[in-house]
Amino acid sequence: MTTRHNPWDWIGFKFIEETESNAEHLSSYLHDRDLLTEAEKATFVPLASKSTKGPVKERLYDIIDTDKNDRLTTTEIQAALTKPWFAQSISQLITKCESEWFYEAEKWDALDKLMGHTVDTPNVNWVQQKKRIKELSWWKEIVSQEGLSPDGKVWHIHAIGLIANFEQKKKCTCNAVVKGTKWYSNFGPVVWGEGKLGDAPQWAAIEASGKVTAFEKKVITAMCENEGKINAVQAYDSEIITAGAMQKTINPDGEGELPIQVKKFKELYPDEFFELFESQGWYLDISAAKPRMYYQHPDFLDGEKFEGEDLRKKLKLGFSLATYGKVVECKPVSVMSCAVGSSLYVELQITDFIDRLRDVLLKVPGTYGFSIGKVFLSALGQATALDENVNRPSKVATNVKRALDKFFLQNPGVSKDITTWGVNHPIYERKILDIYGPDRPEMTDPGPRFIKLKAALNV
């Protein structure tokens, strides 16, 4: 076709070409855009319907047609191509269809009536257009010399994408050391990890881009002293696995904050997800409302698929008092450490902390008419709230309210309108923190954690 005014229309048209003949696609193209009269639709709907049906086009509609109205709009196509996980799915299609360089006069002649062309009243432009299409078509001229398919139907392949799929993927080379450890009466694997999130080089680019302030970095860096190392991973307690500086988990149902974070990573970096997670055995299941993770790799227990409580138990196999403190091979834990410690994943860990900090500061403690961020102005106050938000997010507002209630009960002369505190705000805030920090029910060791925060901030 020659009339392609909008490049996105051309992309949409090219998608439709992946099924039947070019003439049928043109009929479908016009029909889908309501460019046919009702009488013309009655004549050409069969052609349009034939073009609309087929596994390739159905697959494209599944990916692109977000409102499920059976029409591909330029907006939907553009939106799909801006998302790596959609664009990659599209680029990986291998389709067998008629080449646009293959010409058969009867297929184009079938559109004469649509174009208003008859022997008695010729449409000169359409006659010239068909002539031009024929002149541009070269398929039949070289069929015998090159051994091409005489019917013009061939496999269409995204060559670069195909080569990339067969390319040897990088193996995990971080050599994360897994050791046996003990939690109460439970033995299991752990990678203690190395490197604090506050020292990660990824901060420089994030700060330079304006995505975080120096004060926010100070708060997060201090709070991370209470969490794990960047690539810390363990599987010795009640959860399937716990990973990263924020110690996100996969719970016994296979769900949890870690699968949610890994899903975000896959959406941002699909190739890196395959290399770091899927090719190493960690799979993401997004078929249900909440993402889940399971493990399956030929190097682990004969390549069986393990998930849920069964996976939790399998990760602990071979760990006992005899392996306590010793290096033990455990591929699922080792490769998870490598994945969460990778450069792009560390960047995601940082941005998750930033989002978490901003989220907790917006929470309102019960009936008080101000947010946590309005009462906790200091780095210590915000770090203490973030500390609980990472570990017991549903309890932060409740426990801050408890601390406020106790503070105002002890200090009846202090106004509950914190905007009037003025120069006394730091004094009152510290008194509230000395109540809240050590007394955060359901957190493990809130007192020692609060002491570590004060030490990290030197206050």
Side-chain angles (χ1 to χ4, degrees), residues 59 83-89 92 258-278 282-287 291-294 344-345 348:
R59 172 61 178 149
K83 294 179 172 63
W85 56 100
F86 285 158
Q88 187 178 50
S89 296
Q92 289 176 341
L258 185 57
I260 293 172
Q261 188 179 62
V262 172
K263 178 176 179 287
K264 185 187 296 186
F265 184 77
K266 179 182 180 180
E267 291 170 350
L268 291 170
Y269 312 109
D271 291 338
E272 286 76 7
F273 166 78
F274 176 79
E275 177 184 320
L276 295 167
F277 288 94
E278 199 165 281
W282 281 107
Y283 289 85
L284 189 64
D285 179 1
I286 55 175
S287 61
R292 298 182 177 189
M293 294 189 74
Y294 63 90
L344 289 174
Y345 203 94
L348 180 59

mmCIF file of all heavy atoms in Angstrom, residues 59 83-89 92 258-278 282-287 291-294 344-345 348:
data_model
loop_
_atom_site.group_PDB
_atom_site.id
_atom_site.type_symbol
_atom_site.label_atom_id
_atom_site.label_comp_id
_atom_site.label_asym_id
_atom_site.label_seq_id
_atom_site.Cartn_x
_atom_site.Cartn_y
_atom_site.Cartn_z
ATOM 1 N N ARG A 59 -3.360 -13.375 18.738
ATOM 2 C CA ARG A 59 -2.288 -13.161 19.717
ATOM 3 C C ARG A 59 -1.983 -11.657 19.857
ATOM 4 O O ARG A 59 -1.799 -11.148 20.962
ATOM 5 C CB ARG A 59 -1.026 -13.913 19.267
ATOM 6 C CG ARG A 59 0.216 -13.611 20.091
ATOM 7 C CD ARG A 59 0.046 -13.993 21.545
ATOM 8 N NE ARG A 59 1.249 -13.734 22.300
ATOM 9 C CZ ARG A 59 1.265 -13.401 23.582
ATOM 10 N NH1 ARG A 59 0.138 -13.306 24.251
ATOM 11 N NH2 ARG A 59 2.392 -13.175 24.206
ATOM 12 N N LYS A 83 6.209 -0.536 26.108
ATOM 13 C CA LYS A 83 6.422 -1.438 27.239
ATOM 14 C C LYS A 83 7.293 -2.600 26.781
ATOM 15 O O LYS A 83 6.900 -3.369 25.912
ATOM 16 C CB LYS A 83 5.086 -1.959 27.780
ATOM 17 C CG LYS A 83 4.219 -0.870 28.414
ATOM 18 C CD LYS A 83 2.902 -1.442 28.896
ATOM 19 C CE LYS A 83 2.108 -0.435 29.712
ATOM 20 N NZ LYS A 83 1.732 0.740 28.931
ATOM 21 N N PRO A 84 8.484 -2.751 27.373
ATOM 22 C CA PRO A 84 9.413 -3.785 26.910
ATOM 23 C C PRO A 84 8.821 -5.183 26.889
ATOM 24 O O PRO A 84 9.099 -5.958 25.985
ATOM 25 C CB PRO A 84 10.581 -3.689 27.919
ATOM 26 C CG PRO A 84 10.506 -2.298 28.462
ATOM 27 C CD PRO A 84 9.043 -1.942 28.480
ATOM 28 N N TRP A 85 7.986 -5.522 27.899
ATOM 29 C CA TRP A 85 7.468 -6.888 27.962
ATOM 30 C C TRP A 85 6.434 -7.165 26.880
ATOM 31 O O TRP A 85 6.234 -8.299 26.496
ATOM 32 C CB TRP A 85 6.900 -7.200 29.347
ATOM 33 C CG TRP A 85 5.830 -6.274 29.833
ATOM 34 C CD1 TRP A 85 4.489 -6.481 29.825
ATOM 35 C CD2 TRP A 85 6.014 -4.995 30.441
ATOM 36 N NE1 TRP A 85 3.831 -5.416 30.367
ATOM 37 C CE2 TRP A 85 4.726 -4.492 30.765
ATOM 38 C CE3 TRP A 85 7.130 -4.220 30.740
ATOM 39 C CZ2 TRP A 85 4.551 -3.249 31.372
ATOM 40 C CZ3 TRP A 85 6.939 -2.993 31.344
ATOM 41 C CH2 TRP A 85 5.669 -2.523 31.655
ATOM 42 N N PHE A 86 5.768 -6.099 26.351
ATOM 43 C CA PHE A 86 4.858 -6.272 25.218
ATOM 44 C C PHE A 86 5.640 -6.271 23.911
ATOM 45 O O PHE A 86 5.423 -7.108 23.039
ATOM 46 C CB PHE A 86 3.815 -5.153 25.191
ATOM 47 C CG PHE A 86 2.739 -5.304 26.229
ATOM 48 C CD1 PHE A 86 2.000 -4.209 26.650
ATOM 49 C CD2 PHE A 86 2.457 -6.535 26.797
ATOM 50 C CE1 PHE A 86 1.004 -4.338 27.613
ATOM 51 C CE2 PHE A 86 1.469 -6.679 27.761
ATOM 52 C CZ PHE A 86 0.743 -5.574 28.160
ATOM 53 N N ALA A 87 6.538 -5.279 23.770
ATOM 54 C CA ALA A 87 7.313 -5.171 22.536
ATOM 55 C C ALA A 87 8.120 -6.441 22.290
ATOM 56 O O ALA A 87 8.242 -6.912 21.159
ATOM 57 C CB ALA A 87 8.241 -3.961 22.604
ATOM 58 N N GLN A 88 8.638 -7.017 23.365
ATOM 59 C CA GLN A 88 9.422 -8.230 23.223
ATOM 60 C C GLN A 88 8.536 -9.397 22.770
ATOM 61 O O GLN A 88 8.930 -10.179 21.898
ATOM 62 C CB GLN A 88 10.098 -8.576 24.544
ATOM 63 C CG GLN A 88 11.070 -9.746 24.444
ATOM 64 C CD GLN A 88 11.748 -10.020 25.759
ATOM 65 O OE1 GLN A 88 11.106 -10.135 26.786
ATOM 66 N NE2 GLN A 88 13.059 -10.128 25.739
ATOM 67 N N SER A 89 7.321 -9.478 23.314
ATOM 68 C CA SER A 89 6.405 -10.539 22.899
ATOM 69 C C SER A 89 6.065 -10.424 21.423
ATOM 70 O O SER A 89 6.004 -11.418 20.695
ATOM 71 C CB SER A 89 5.109 -10.469 23.726
ATOM 72 O OG SER A 89 5.378 -10.715 25.081
ATOM 73 N N GLN A 92 8.955 -11.352 19.055
ATOM 74 C CA GLN A 92 9.305 -12.769 19.049
ATOM 75 C C GLN A 92 8.328 -13.625 18.247
ATOM 76 O O GLN A 92 8.518 -14.831 18.148
ATOM 77 C CB GLN A 92 9.388 -13.281 20.491
ATOM 78 C CG GLN A 92 10.598 -12.743 21.243
ATOM 79 C CD GLN A 92 10.619 -13.164 22.694
ATOM 80 O OE1 GLN A 92 9.603 -13.558 23.253
ATOM 81 N NE2 GLN A 92 11.773 -13.045 23.330
ATOM 82 N N LEU A 258 8.414 -10.063 47.932
ATOM 83 C CA LEU A 258 9.495 -10.351 46.992
ATOM 84 C C LEU A 258 8.972 -10.656 45.591
ATOM 85 O O LEU A 258 9.482 -10.103 44.606
ATOM 86 C CB LEU A 258 10.369 -11.496 47.512
ATOM 87 C CG LEU A 258 11.619 -11.798 46.663
ATOM 88 C CD1 LEU A 258 12.506 -10.567 46.529
ATOM 89 C CD2 LEU A 258 12.419 -12.960 47.269
ATOM 90 N N PRO A 259 7.941 -11.514 45.421
ATOM 91 C CA PRO A 259 7.392 -11.715 44.082
ATOM 92 C C PRO A 259 6.878 -10.416 43.443
ATOM 93 O O PRO A 259 7.004 -10.222 42.234
ATOM 94 C CB PRO A 259 6.255 -12.712 44.305
ATOM 95 C CG PRO A 259 6.661 -13.474 45.514
ATOM 96 C CD PRO A 259 7.343 -12.464 46.388
ATOM 97 N N ILE A 260 6.314 -9.528 44.257
ATOM 98 C CA ILE A 260 5.837 -8.245 43.731
ATOM 99 C C ILE A 260 7.008 -7.424 43.211
ATOM 100 O O ILE A 260 6.949 -6.825 42.132
ATOM 101 C CB ILE A 260 5.073 -7.469 44.823
ATOM 102 C CG1 ILE A 260 3.777 -8.192 45.176
ATOM 103 C CG2 ILE A 260 4.777 -6.044 44.376
ATOM 104 C CD1 ILE A 260 3.048 -7.610 46.374
ATOM 105 N N GLN A 261 8.103 -7.416 43.966
ATOM 106 C CA GLN A 261 9.287 -6.665 43.541
ATOM 107 C C GLN A 261 9.925 -7.291 42.312
ATOM 108 O O GLN A 261 10.347 -6.580 41.383
ATOM 109 C CB GLN A 261 10.309 -6.615 44.689
ATOM 110 C CG GLN A 261 11.485 -5.681 44.410
ATOM 111 C CD GLN A 261 12.454 -5.639 45.586
ATOM 112 O OE1 GLN A 261 13.038 -6.657 45.954
ATOM 113 N NE2 GLN A 261 12.622 -4.461 46.175
ATOM 114 N N VAL A 262 9.976 -8.617 42.260
ATOM 115 C CA VAL A 262 10.548 -9.307 41.108
ATOM 116 C C VAL A 262 9.692 -9.066 39.862
ATOM 117 O O VAL A 262 10.216 -8.917 38.752
ATOM 118 C CB VAL A 262 10.698 -10.819 41.391
ATOM 119 C CG1 VAL A 262 11.099 -11.574 40.127
ATOM 120 C CG2 VAL A 262 11.739 -11.046 42.483
ATOM 121 N N LYS A 263 8.381 -9.017 40.034
ATOM 122 C CA LYS A 263 7.489 -8.710 38.912
ATOM 123 C C LYS A 263 7.797 -7.329 38.347
ATOM 124 O O LYS A 263 7.837 -7.131 37.126
ATOM 125 C CB LYS A 263 6.033 -8.784 39.358
ATOM 126 C CG LYS A 263 5.019 -8.443 38.262
ATOM 127 C CD LYS A 263 3.598 -8.638 38.773
ATOM 128 C CE LYS A 263 2.564 -8.289 37.706
ATOM 129 N NZ LYS A 263 2.455 -6.842 37.488
ATOM 130 N N LYS A 264 8.012 -6.364 39.225
ATOM 131 C CA LYS A 264 8.371 -5.018 38.782
ATOM 132 C C LYS A 264 9.698 -5.045 38.016
ATOM 133 O O LYS A 264 9.861 -4.381 36.990
ATOM 134 C CB LYS A 264 8.485 -4.082 39.987
ATOM 135 C CG LYS A 264 8.734 -2.616 39.608
ATOM 136 C CD LYS A 264 9.005 -1.759 40.828
ATOM 137 C CE LYS A 264 7.827 -1.692 41.769
ATOM 138 N NZ LYS A 264 8.075 -0.736 42.895
ATOM 139 N N PHE A 265 10.642 -5.845 38.525
ATOM 140 C CA PHE A 265 11.940 -5.968 37.845
ATOM 141 C C PHE A 265 11.767 -6.564 36.453
ATOM 142 O O PHE A 265 12.377 -6.103 35.483
ATOM 143 C CB PHE A 265 12.874 -6.850 38.684
ATOM 144 C CG PHE A 265 14.268 -6.961 38.131
ATOM 145 C CD1 PHE A 265 15.174 -5.929 38.275
ATOM 146 C CD2 PHE A 265 14.676 -8.111 37.452
ATOM 147 C CE1 PHE A 265 16.466 -6.025 37.773
ATOM 148 C CE2 PHE A 265 15.958 -8.213 36.939
ATOM 149 C CZ PHE A 265 16.859 -7.171 37.100
ATOM 150 N N LYS A 266 10.914 -7.574 36.337
ATOM 151 C CA LYS A 266 10.674 -8.204 35.037
ATOM 152 C C LYS A 266 10.072 -7.206 34.052
ATOM 153 O O LYS A 266 10.431 -7.189 32.872
ATOM 154 C CB LYS A 266 9.746 -9.402 35.194
ATOM 155 C CG LYS A 266 9.430 -10.096 33.863
ATOM 156 C CD LYS A 266 8.476 -11.261 34.048
ATOM 157 C CE LYS A 266 8.177 -11.927 32.700
ATOM 158 N NZ LYS A 266 7.245 -13.066 32.843
ATOM 159 N N GLU A 267 9.148 -6.376 34.533
ATOM 160 C CA GLU A 267 8.508 -5.392 33.666
ATOM 161 C C GLU A 267 9.506 -4.340 33.187
ATOM 162 O O GLU A 267 9.446 -3.890 32.042
ATOM 163 C CB GLU A 267 7.348 -4.728 34.413
ATOM 164 C CG GLU A 267 6.183 -5.671 34.673
ATOM 165 C CD GLU A 267 5.154 -5.091 35.624
ATOM 166 O OE1 GLU A 267 5.447 -4.029 36.234
ATOM 167 O OE2 GLU A 267 4.068 -5.684 35.761
ATOM 168 N N LEU A 268 10.431 -3.969 34.059
ATOM 169 C CA LEU A 268 11.432 -2.964 33.697
ATOM 170 C C LEU A 268 12.555 -3.533 32.844
ATOM 171 O O LEU A 268 13.017 -2.898 31.890
ATOM 172 C CB LEU A 268 12.026 -2.346 34.976
ATOM 173 C CG LEU A 268 11.102 -1.465 35.817
ATOM 174 C CD1 LEU A 268 11.763 -1.145 37.149
ATOM 175 C CD2 LEU A 268 10.761 -0.182 35.072
ATOM 176 N N TYR A 269 13.002 -4.749 33.175
ATOM 177 C CA TYR A 269 14.174 -5.340 32.528
ATOM 178 C C TYR A 269 13.902 -6.812 32.188
ATOM 179 O O TYR A 269 14.394 -7.711 32.870
ATOM 180 C CB TYR A 269 15.392 -5.237 33.456
ATOM 181 C CG TYR A 269 15.593 -3.873 34.056
ATOM 182 C CD1 TYR A 269 15.344 -3.651 35.417
ATOM 183 C CD2 TYR A 269 15.996 -2.789 33.283
ATOM 184 C CE1 TYR A 269 15.528 -2.406 35.988
ATOM 185 C CE2 TYR A 269 16.173 -1.535 33.841
ATOM 186 C CZ TYR A 269 15.942 -1.346 35.196
ATOM 187 O OH TYR A 269 16.113 -0.100 35.754
ATOM 188 N N PRO A 270 13.109 -7.081 31.161
ATOM 189 C CA PRO A 270 12.732 -8.474 30.853
ATOM 190 C C PRO A 270 13.921 -9.374 30.526
ATOM 191 O O PRO A 270 13.934 -10.539 30.918
ATOM 192 C CB PRO A 270 11.789 -8.328 29.650
ATOM 193 C CG PRO A 270 12.054 -6.970 29.088
ATOM 194 C CD PRO A 270 12.460 -6.114 30.243
ATOM 195 N N ASP A 271 14.918 -8.863 29.817
ATOM 196 C CA ASP A 271 16.079 -9.689 29.476
ATOM 197 C C ASP A 271 16.876 -10.048 30.716
ATOM 198 O O ASP A 271 17.318 -11.193 30.886
ATOM 199 C CB ASP A 271 16.976 -8.960 28.466
ATOM 200 C CG ASP A 271 16.325 -8.837 27.102
ATOM 201 O OD1 ASP A 271 15.416 -9.634 26.812
ATOM 202 O OD2 ASP A 271 16.707 -7.932 26.342
ATOM 203 N N GLU A 272 17.083 -9.053 31.581
ATOM 204 C CA GLU A 272 17.844 -9.302 32.810
ATOM 205 C C GLU A 272 17.072 -10.242 33.741
ATOM 206 O O GLU A 272 17.671 -11.054 34.443
ATOM 207 C CB GLU A 272 18.140 -7.981 33.525
ATOM 208 C CG GLU A 272 19.216 -7.145 32.871
ATOM 209 C CD GLU A 272 18.731 -6.427 31.614
ATOM 210 O OE1 GLU A 272 17.506 -6.465 31.318
ATOM 211 O OE2 GLU A 272 19.566 -5.830 30.920
ATOM 212 N N PHE A 273 15.730 -10.127 33.732
ATOM 213 C CA PHE A 273 14.934 -11.050 34.541
ATOM 214 C C PHE A 273 15.177 -12.479 34.087
ATOM 215 O O PHE A 273 15.382 -13.379 34.910
ATOM 216 C CB PHE A 273 13.444 -10.721 34.424
ATOM 217 C CG PHE A 273 12.556 -11.824 34.939
ATOM 218 C CD1 PHE A 273 12.352 -12.001 36.297
ATOM 219 C CD2 PHE A 273 11.955 -12.722 34.065
ATOM 220 C CE1 PHE A 273 11.561 -13.032 36.773
ATOM 221 C CE2 PHE A 273 11.166 -13.759 34.530
ATOM 222 C CZ PHE A 273 10.967 -13.914 35.890
ATOM 223 N N PHE A 274 15.159 -12.691 32.771
ATOM 224 C CA PHE A 274 15.384 -14.053 32.276
ATOM 225 C C PHE A 274 16.770 -14.544 32.675
ATOM 226 O O PHE A 274 16.928 -15.679 33.145
ATOM 227 C CB PHE A 274 15.238 -14.105 30.752
ATOM 228 C CG PHE A 274 15.566 -15.462 30.188
ATOM 229 C CD1 PHE A 274 14.643 -16.495 30.250
ATOM 230 C CD2 PHE A 274 16.817 -15.721 29.639
ATOM 231 C CE1 PHE A 274 14.958 -17.754 29.764
ATOM 232 C CE2 PHE A 274 17.132 -16.979 29.152
ATOM 233 C CZ PHE A 274 16.204 -17.994 29.213
ATOM 234 N N GLU A 275 17.762 -13.691 32.492
ATOM 235 C CA GLU A 275 19.137 -14.099 32.777
ATOM 236 C C GLU A 275 19.371 -14.400 34.249
ATOM 237 O O GLU A 275 20.005 -15.399 34.605
ATOM 238 C CB GLU A 275 20.093 -12.985 32.320
ATOM 239 C CG GLU A 275 21.553 -13.260 32.628
ATOM 240 C CD GLU A 275 22.437 -12.087 32.242
ATOM 241 O OE1 GLU A 275 22.191 -11.480 31.193
ATOM 242 O OE2 GLU A 275 23.365 -11.783 33.005
ATOM 243 N N LEU A 276 18.845 -13.528 35.124
ATOM 244 C CA LEU A 276 19.157 -13.620 36.550
ATOM 245 C C LEU A 276 18.208 -14.529 37.328
ATOM 246 O O LEU A 276 18.614 -15.143 38.315
ATOM 247 C CB LEU A 276 19.128 -12.219 37.168
ATOM 248 C CG LEU A 276 20.202 -11.256 36.664
ATOM 249 C CD1 LEU A 276 19.883 -9.835 37.097
ATOM 250 C CD2 LEU A 276 21.575 -11.673 37.160
ATOM 251 N N PHE A 277 16.963 -14.594 36.899
ATOM 252 C CA PHE A 277 15.978 -15.372 37.648
ATOM 253 C C PHE A 277 15.556 -16.638 36.902
ATOM 254 O O PHE A 277 15.837 -17.751 37.343
ATOM 255 C CB PHE A 277 14.745 -14.505 37.964
ATOM 256 C CG PHE A 277 14.990 -13.464 39.003
ATOM 257 C CD1 PHE A 277 15.359 -12.170 38.637
ATOM 258 C CD2 PHE A 277 14.851 -13.752 40.350
ATOM 259 C CE1 PHE A 277 15.593 -11.190 39.601
ATOM 260 C CE2 PHE A 277 15.077 -12.788 41.327
ATOM 261 C CZ PHE A 277 15.452 -11.501 40.942
ATOM 262 N N GLU A 278 14.885 -16.462 35.774
ATOM 263 C CA GLU A 278 14.258 -17.608 35.121
ATOM 264 C C GLU A 278 15.276 -18.637 34.629
ATOM 265 O O GLU A 278 15.084 -19.838 34.813
ATOM 266 C CB GLU A 278 13.392 -17.113 33.959
ATOM 267 C CG GLU A 278 12.373 -18.139 33.513
ATOM 268 C CD GLU A 278 11.288 -17.533 32.640
ATOM 269 O OE1 GLU A 278 10.371 -16.902 33.185
ATOM 270 O OE2 GLU A 278 11.382 -17.697 31.405
ATOM 271 N N TRP A 282 14.352 -19.632 39.038
ATOM 272 C CA TRP A 282 13.304 -18.915 39.752
ATOM 273 C C TRP A 282 12.285 -18.374 38.759
ATOM 274 O O TRP A 282 12.588 -17.502 37.955
ATOM 275 C CB TRP A 282 13.881 -17.774 40.584
ATOM 276 C CG TRP A 282 14.493 -18.237 41.865
ATOM 277 C CD1 TRP A 282 15.817 -18.300 42.174
ATOM 278 C CD2 TRP A 282 13.793 -18.711 43.025
ATOM 279 N NE1 TRP A 282 16.008 -18.785 43.442
ATOM 280 C CE2 TRP A 282 14.771 -19.046 43.996
ATOM 281 C CE3 TRP A 282 12.454 -18.885 43.342
ATOM 282 C CZ2 TRP A 282 14.435 -19.544 45.254
ATOM 283 C CZ3 TRP A 282 12.118 -19.381 44.593
ATOM 284 C CH2 TRP A 282 13.104 -19.698 45.540
ATOM 285 N N TYR A 283 11.062 -18.894 38.819
ATOM 286 C CA TYR A 283 10.004 -18.509 37.885
ATOM 287 C C TYR A 283 8.954 -17.653 38.571
ATOM 288 O O TYR A 283 8.690 -17.807 39.775
ATOM 289 C CB TYR A 283 9.340 -19.750 37.288
ATOM 290 C CG TYR A 283 10.229 -20.501 36.321
ATOM 291 C CD1 TYR A 283 11.151 -21.436 36.790
ATOM 292 C CD2 TYR A 283 10.152 -20.262 34.956
ATOM 293 C CE1 TYR A 283 11.973 -22.122 35.911
ATOM 294 C CE2 TYR A 283 10.969 -20.953 34.066
ATOM 295 C CZ TYR A 283 11.878 -21.877 34.546
ATOM 296 O OH TYR A 283 12.695 -22.543 33.673
ATOM 297 N N LEU A 284 8.348 -16.768 37.789
ATOM 298 C CA LEU A 284 7.308 -15.881 38.270
ATOM 299 C C LEU A 284 5.981 -16.311 37.659
ATOM 300 O O LEU A 284 5.854 -16.430 36.443
ATOM 301 C CB LEU A 284 7.630 -14.445 37.868
ATOM 302 C CG LEU A 284 6.780 -13.318 38.456
ATOM 303 C CD1 LEU A 284 6.955 -13.248 39.970
ATOM 304 C CD2 LEU A 284 7.184 -11.991 37.823
ATOM 305 N N ASP A 285 4.999 -16.575 38.497
ATOM 306 C CA ASP A 285 3.659 -16.953 38.045
ATOM 307 C C ASP A 285 2.727 -15.772 38.297
ATOM 308 O O ASP A 285 2.474 -15.401 39.438
ATOM 309 C CB ASP A 285 3.182 -18.184 38.823
ATOM 310 C CG ASP A 285 1.770 -18.619 38.418
ATOM 311 O OD1 ASP A 285 1.179 -17.978 37.525
ATOM 312 O OD2 ASP A 285 1.269 -19.599 39.001
ATOM 313 N N ILE A 286 2.230 -15.160 37.207
ATOM 314 C CA ILE A 286 1.348 -14.006 37.357
ATOM 315 C C ILE A 286 -0.070 -14.329 36.890
ATOM 316 O O ILE A 286 -0.831 -13.449 36.509
ATOM 317 C CB ILE A 286 1.896 -12.783 36.595
ATOM 318 C CG1 ILE A 286 2.144 -13.124 35.122
ATOM 319 C CG2 ILE A 286 3.178 -12.272 37.245
ATOM 320 C CD1 ILE A 286 2.561 -11.928 34.289
ATOM 321 N N SER A 287 -0.418 -15.604 36.909
ATOM 322 C CA SER A 287 -1.740 -16.012 36.438
ATOM 323 C C SER A 287 -2.841 -15.702 37.451
ATOM 324 O O SER A 287 -4.012 -15.605 37.087
ATOM 325 C CB SER A 287 -1.752 -17.513 36.130
ATOM 326 O OG SER A 287 -1.461 -18.276 37.292
ATOM 327 N N PRO A 291 1.159 -12.084 42.323
ATOM 328 C CA PRO A 291 2.256 -12.848 41.728
ATOM 329 C C PRO A 291 2.832 -13.857 42.709
ATOM 330 O O PRO A 291 2.868 -13.619 43.917
ATOM 331 C CB PRO A 291 3.291 -11.777 41.365
ATOM 332 C CG PRO A 291 2.979 -10.615 42.247
ATOM 333 C CD PRO A 291 1.493 -10.656 42.462
ATOM 334 N N ARG A 292 3.260 -14.997 42.157
ATOM 335 C CA ARG A 292 3.875 -16.035 42.970
ATOM 336 C C ARG A 292 5.200 -16.434 42.342
ATOM 337 O O ARG A 292 5.433 -16.215 41.163
ATOM 338 C CB ARG A 292 2.975 -17.274 43.062
ATOM 339 C CG ARG A 292 1.630 -17.031 43.727
ATOM 340 C CD ARG A 292 0.842 -18.308 43.828
ATOM 341 N NE ARG A 292 -0.426 -18.138 44.534
ATOM 342 C CZ ARG A 292 -1.212 -19.128 44.899
ATOM 343 N NH1 ARG A 292 -0.860 -20.377 44.634
ATOM 344 N NH2 ARG A 292 -2.340 -18.889 45.536
ATOM 345 N N MET A 293 6.041 -17.070 43.145
ATOM 346 C CA MET A 293 7.305 -17.581 42.632
ATOM 347 C C MET A 293 7.454 -19.055 42.987
ATOM 348 O O MET A 293 6.994 -19.500 44.045
ATOM 349 C CB MET A 293 8.487 -16.775 43.176
ATOM 350 C CG MET A 293 8.513 -15.338 42.676
ATOM 351 S SD MET A 293 10.032 -14.444 43.108
ATOM 352 C CE MET A 293 11.191 -15.198 41.948
ATOM 353 N N TYR A 294 8.083 -19.791 42.079
ATOM 354 C CA TYR A 294 8.385 -21.193 42.332
ATOM 355 C C TYR A 294 9.760 -21.493 41.756
ATOM 356 O O TYR A 294 10.359 -20.661 41.065
ATOM 357 C CB TYR A 294 7.322 -22.116 41.737
ATOM 358 C CG TYR A 294 7.199 -22.071 40.220
ATOM 359 C CD1 TYR A 294 7.949 -22.933 39.418
ATOM 360 C CD2 TYR A 294 6.336 -21.184 39.587
ATOM 361 C CE1 TYR A 294 7.831 -22.917 38.031
ATOM 362 C CE2 TYR A 294 6.205 -21.156 38.209
ATOM 363 C CZ TYR A 294 6.966 -22.019 37.436
ATOM 364 O OH TYR A 294 6.861 -21.994 36.069
ATOM 365 N N LEU A 344 21.212 -3.617 38.439
ATOM 366 C CA LEU A 344 19.876 -3.077 38.190
ATOM 367 C C LEU A 344 18.910 -3.416 39.318
ATOM 368 O O LEU A 344 18.024 -2.620 39.643
ATOM 369 C CB LEU A 344 19.336 -3.606 36.858
ATOM 370 C CG LEU A 344 19.997 -3.048 35.601
ATOM 371 C CD1 LEU A 344 19.476 -3.748 34.355
ATOM 372 C CD2 LEU A 344 19.785 -1.540 35.494
ATOM 373 N N TYR A 345 19.092 -4.584 39.930
ATOM 374 C CA TYR A 345 18.192 -4.947 41.024
ATOM 375 C C TYR A 345 18.490 -4.106 42.264
ATOM 376 O O TYR A 345 17.578 -3.749 43.006
ATOM 377 C CB TYR A 345 18.275 -6.436 41.351
ATOM 378 C CG TYR A 345 17.019 -6.944 42.032
ATOM 379 C CD1 TYR A 345 15.998 -7.509 41.276
ATOM 380 C CD2 TYR A 345 16.831 -6.822 43.400
ATOM 381 C CE1 TYR A 345 14.824 -7.949 41.877
ATOM 382 C CE2 TYR A 345 15.668 -7.260 44.015
ATOM 383 C CZ TYR A 345 14.665 -7.815 43.252
ATOM 384 O OH TYR A 345 13.496 -8.231 43.854
ATOM 385 N N LEU A 348 16.689 -0.994 41.919
ATOM 386 C CA LEU A 348 15.281 -1.178 42.252
ATOM 387 C C LEU A 348 15.085 -1.237 43.765
ATOM 388 O O LEU A 348 14.097 -0.697 44.293
ATOM 389 C CB LEU A 348 14.746 -2.458 41.597
ATOM 390 C CG LEU A 348 13.275 -2.795 41.859
ATOM 391 C CD1 LEU A 348 12.369 -1.666 41.382
ATOM 392 C CD2 LEU A 348 12.892 -4.104 41.183
#
